[in-house]
Amino acid sequence: MAALGHTLPFYTGPKPTFPMDTTLAVIITIFLTALVTFIIILPGIRGKTRLFWLLRVVTSLFIGAVILAVNFSSEWSVGHINTNTTYKAFSPKRVSVDVGLQIGLGGLNITLTGTPVQQLNETINYNEEFTWRLGKSYAEEYAKALEKGLPDPVLYLAEKFAPRSPCGLYNQYRLAGHYASAMLWVAFLCWLLANVMLSMPVLVYGGHMLLATGLFQLLALFFFSMTTSLMSCPLRLGTAVLYTHRGPAFWITLATGLLCILLGLVMAVAHRMQPHRLKALFNLSSEDPMLEWGSGEGGLLSPHYRSIAESLETQDIPMSEASSEMCLKEEHLKESDCSL
């Protein structure tokens, strides 16, 4: 092909593009379907608790959707520049392009878009993904990218994160992603337990699970920030240097974690100060007058039932006037019989 005047990339046809992540699309679809289902049954709920019930459902679904979505998101650390750089290997010709770098917990995504898109008689529009999740090999994906002959900017950024790169970015971001992802899975489990407990008469423990959900999300942020705080290798593309900063997934995880901690603290304080009002908000107030709830922390788990003997001892049964007169007459007749 070189004899015919061609240069890399050799392959022809449409450039490989990646649409929206199917995993994120599935997560969003599932949670939106659940939300629509709850909204449909909302008119069947009577009373003033309808609005509070809807607020609970929306907040809970939002927290669960965020925890799952950010775990698969590639926007934990992002960077974007517009530069003038080389486009093909063995060619001095330069192009004006927008280069984007999105780093997630399981890999990175590199975008390359020409400004304008049509340059050098080609359409410059690339969106390439390289992963390091368990079961995936970053080195193999990078080798396939070399075989395809992807543009220089894409290969340059991918090579900086390769396992054999002297920059060490691969181990740095891979370890951060593994630890942060593990913390998010634990947070998702705590969120499930919180929903189960909040639907039962164990509200205080549901609040504790909300606290745990927020704490594990903050731990995920801590592991990611601690490991990726310093970019040890500059990313120079043509006349510009690409710098990365915290992305939307990082900040929305921080906001959701703080929200969970706030809700958990509010429920803990409400359980101490106004336990009956808290139960009323969750439609868990006891209607049986023979049932008394303990005042301790585990009172909601161990209700105390009064026995029939205790109930009869404490109850004063009033007698009617006619009954009292009949009792007096019977006592008077018995006294007269004894005197005879």
Side-chain angles (χ1 to χ4, degrees):
M1 290 185 179
L4 299 177
H6 293 286
T7 58
L8 294 175
F10 294 138
Y11 66 91
T12 59
K15 304 296 187 299
T17 58
F18 288 83
M20 180 182 179
D21 191 348
T22 55
T23 305
L24 292 179
V26 170
I27 293 172
I28 294 173
T29 302
I30 292 175
F31 280 91
L32 284 180
T33 303
L35 179 60
V36 171
T37 303
F38 283 117
I39 292 177
I40 291 175
I41 67 176
L42 184 63
I45 301 176
R46 299 179 180 180
K48 299 179 180 179
T49 59
R50 179 185 301 174
L51 181 61
F52 179 72
W53 185 85
L54 178 62
L55 181 63
R56 282 168 46 198
V57 169
V58 172
T59 304
S60 178
L61 290 178
F62 170 77
I63 294 173
V66 166
I67 295 175
L68 279 183
V70 298
N71 204 342
F72 296 96
S73 174
S74 60
E75 295 188 356
W76 280 76
S77 185
V78 298
H80 180 270
I81 58 169
N82 182 276
T83 185
N84 189 10
T85 182
T86 57
Y87 176 63
K88 296 180 180 180
F90 312 113
S91 175
K93 295 182 179 179
R94 291 176 172 264
V95 291
S96 178
V97 291
D98 286 327
V99 183
L101 175 64
Q102 297 88 31
I103 305 174
L105 303 182
L108 57 91
N109 196 75
I110 303 172
T111 59
L112 180 70
T113 306
T115 53
V117 177
Q118 296 291 336
Q119 297 184 54
L120 301 179
N121 295 326
E122 290 191 22
T123 300
I124 304 177
N125 187 13
Y126 291 84
N127 190 340
E128 301 293 333
E129 185 181 31
F130 301 88
T131 58
W132 51 62
R133 289 187 182 274
L134 296 177
K136 300 287 185 177
S137 176
Y138 187 96
E140 290 182 2
E141 294 183 1
Y142 177 67
K144 291 179 180 178
L146 289 174
E147 293 176 0
K148 290 180 180 178
L150 294 179
D152 275 0
V154 176
L155 293 176
Y156 171 80
L157 292 177
E159 189 272 336
K160 290 294 183 180
F161 290 87
R164 295 184 179 181
S165 174
C167 294
L169 297 178
Y170 175 78
N171 292 327
Q172 185 177 349
Y173 279 93
R174 183 178 64 88
L175 290 176
H178 287 345
Y179 283 113
S181 180
M183 294 298 102
L184 288 176
W185 281 118
V186 178
F188 183 73
L189 177 60
C190 292
W191 172 77
L192 291 176
L193 292 176
N195 282 277
V196 173
M197 293 180 178
L198 290 178
S199 62
M200 301 167 61
V202 283
L203 302 181
V204 62
Y205 298 109
H208 292 170
M209 284 295 99
L210 279 177
L211 280 173
T213 303
L215 288 176
F216 279 110
Q217 290 183 76
L218 296 184
L219 278 177
L221 298 178
F222 172 75
F223 285 124
F224 186 82
S225 300
M226 182 180 64
T227 312
T228 62
S229 57
L230 296 176
M231 179 68 75
S232 58
C233 192
L235 305 177
R236 186 175 297 278
L237 291 165
T239 59
V241 178
L242 177 63
Y243 295 98
T244 59
H245 57 274
R246 304 302 181 205
F250 182 92
W251 297 115
I252 195 173
T253 304
L254 176 61
T256 308
L258 294 177
L259 175 63
C260 292
I261 291 178
L262 177 62
L263 293 176
L265 291 176
V266 168
M267 292 192 62
V269 173
H271 175 73
R272 293 296 183 183
M273 304 297 293
Q274 298 289 339
H276 298 288
R277 183 171 296 181
L278 180 63
K279 289 188 292 182
L281 287 176
F282 283 86
N283 294 330
L284 295 176
S285 56
S286 177
E287 299 178 356
D288 189 357
M290 302 294 289
L291 180 62
E292 293 181 352
W293 298 95
S295 58
E297 183 177 346
L300 293 175
L301 282 177
S302 56
H304 171 66
Y305 292 91
R306 294 186 295 176
S307 62
I308 299 177
E310 293 177 354
S311 302
L312 292 178
E313 290 178 0
T314 57
Q315 290 180 355
D316 295 330
I317 303 175
M319 300 179 64
S320 62
E321 296 181 358
S323 300
S324 59
E325 291 178 359
M326 291 294 294
C327 290
L328 290 174
K329 289 180 180 180
E330 290 178 358
E331 291 178 358
H332 181 69
L333 291 175
K334 288 180 180 180
E335 290 177 357
S336 62
D337 291 339
C338 291
S339 61
L340 293 175

